[in-house]
Amino acid sequence: MSEELKGLPDTKTLHTADIVLVAGKGWLSKSIMFLTDSKWSHAALYVGGGRQAVLEAVDDGVEENPFVTTAKGHTRIAIRRLPNLTVEQAEAIKAVAYKELNRPYDYVQLVTLGVYSVVRKYLGIRWSALVKNSKKSMICSELVEVAYAAAGVHFAKKDKMVTPDTLGEAENLVTIYEAPL
């Protein structure tokens, strides 16, 4: 257990390419959880290293941050893992994610995913054309999807449609840790 923040798993138990899901406290996090019917508002990719780092798409774009920093300010955390992921696959996922470093955050995709979610939730219509996706920017869960594609793994039919909930519910992943923070 980390001394810095209660509820964190010991980073010695984490593997490269583990998916980190968190639930936030702020209005945007709560909106994401409400609109996607999810208990998760953000996703990151654990890459390890000396800082026990994650790669994540945040307001400033895709960044490498210490694992503990990603967990701060959130109420819940989960670690999900793809069983039988080889070291080679994990390194390929990590390499693709690092190629996305400094890519801007895709606010348009975030907003249009919100519109899609409202239409889906209240009208029962699933119309993915509502979601606009720029290949020059990305959201948090899209970073995970794009990186995992390097290992031939997909969580949704379209990259632009992946949300933290998609990753939280993916049947090909197992939850190895979940706790309140």
Side-chain angles (χ1 to χ4, degrees):
M1 196 73 66
S2 171
E3 303 276 314
E4 298 177 42
L5 189 62
K6 280 187 169 188
L8 283 184
D10 185 335
T11 54
K12 293 176 190 147
T13 65
L14 301 181
H15 296 178
T16 298
D18 279 350
I19 298 168
V20 180
L21 298 171
V22 290
K25 299 176 190 174
W27 70 269
L28 182 56
S29 294
K30 288 181 179 181
S31 297
I32 290 168
M33 292 185 292
F34 174 75
L35 290 172
T36 61
D37 293 320
S38 177
K39 59 183 178 179
W40 308 113
S41 61
H42 182 65
L45 187 67
Y46 185 77
V47 294
R51 296 184 341 152
Q52 290 94 32
V54 298
L55 290 177
E56 59 185 334
V58 294
D59 5 350
D60 292 333
V62 177
E63 298 179 346
E64 179 187 59
N65 290 311
F67 173 66
V68 69
T69 303
T70 298
K72 284 183 181 173
H74 292 92
T75 60
R76 185 159 202 77
I77 188 167
I79 308 296
R80 303 216 64 216
R81 181 176 291 159
L82 184 65
N84 304 317
L85 187 69
T86 67
V87 171
E88 293 80 15
Q89 288 174 310
E91 289 302 317
I93 290 166
K94 179 176 157 179
V96 168
Y98 268 107
K99 285 182 184 173
E100 303 300 336
L101 208 54
N102 301 315
R103 183 180 285 232
Y105 191 81
D106 195 341
Y107 290 100
V108 172
Q109 184 180 359
L110 179 66
V111 169
T112 58
L113 258 173
V115 171
Y116 167 83
S117 295
V118 167
V119 169
R120 178 195 51 81
K121 187 171 186 154
Y122 295 106
L123 301 178
I125 300 169
R126 295 178 181 270
W127 190 27
S128 64
L130 289 171
V131 181
K132 302 302 175 205
N133 177 261
S134 166
K135 294 301 174 189
K136 295 179 182 177
S137 53
M138 63 179 28
I139 61 172
C140 65
S141 44
E142 182 183 14
L143 172 64
V144 174
E145 172 74 12
V146 167
Y148 262 83
V153 177
H154 296 278
F155 303 109
K157 291 179 184 174
K158 298 178 181 178
D159 294 352
K160 71 179 185 177
M161 300 305 292
V162 177
T163 66
D165 185 60
T166 309
L167 301 171
E169 298 297 322
E171 292 181 7
N172 52 345
L173 297 172
V174 295
T175 301
I176 60 153
Y177 184 85
E178 185 172 343
L181 293 173

